[in-house]
Amino acid sequence: MTVSSLVTALLVGAALGAGARWLVPATRGVPFWVPVAVAVGAAVLATVVARFAGVDTSGVSAVEVFLQVVFAAAGVALVAGTADRGYSR
């Protein structure tokens, strides 16, 4: 994994995680940092998967960024879907 791939993964993950925070309903008990951390981790995982799949990761490629976006979005959707709803009684 190159430095540019890691920086791209961090930026994609942070942007999607922060953006997803606006989409997660306020009634969910999810701290701000959870979607961001999950999205960053998923984007880094996507870079690793792209490398194992044979995608050229010597620089930033469109396939790698696409995989990062898909993995990060899936990770955030999983967190948002399984988060505690924080019902009021």
Side-chain angles (χ1 to χ4, degrees), residues 55-74:
V55 175
D56 180 24
T57 58
S58 60
V60 178
S61 68
V63 174
E64 181 181 359
V65 172
F66 176 75
L67 285 174
Q68 289 173 349
V69 169
V70 169
F71 275 51

Side-chain angles (χ1 to χ4, degrees), residues 23-48:
L23 298 176
V24 176
T27 57
R28 302 266 181 178
V30 180
F32 175 77
W33 62 270
V34 172
V36 175
V38 168
V40 168
V44 171
L45 177 65
T47 300
V48 172

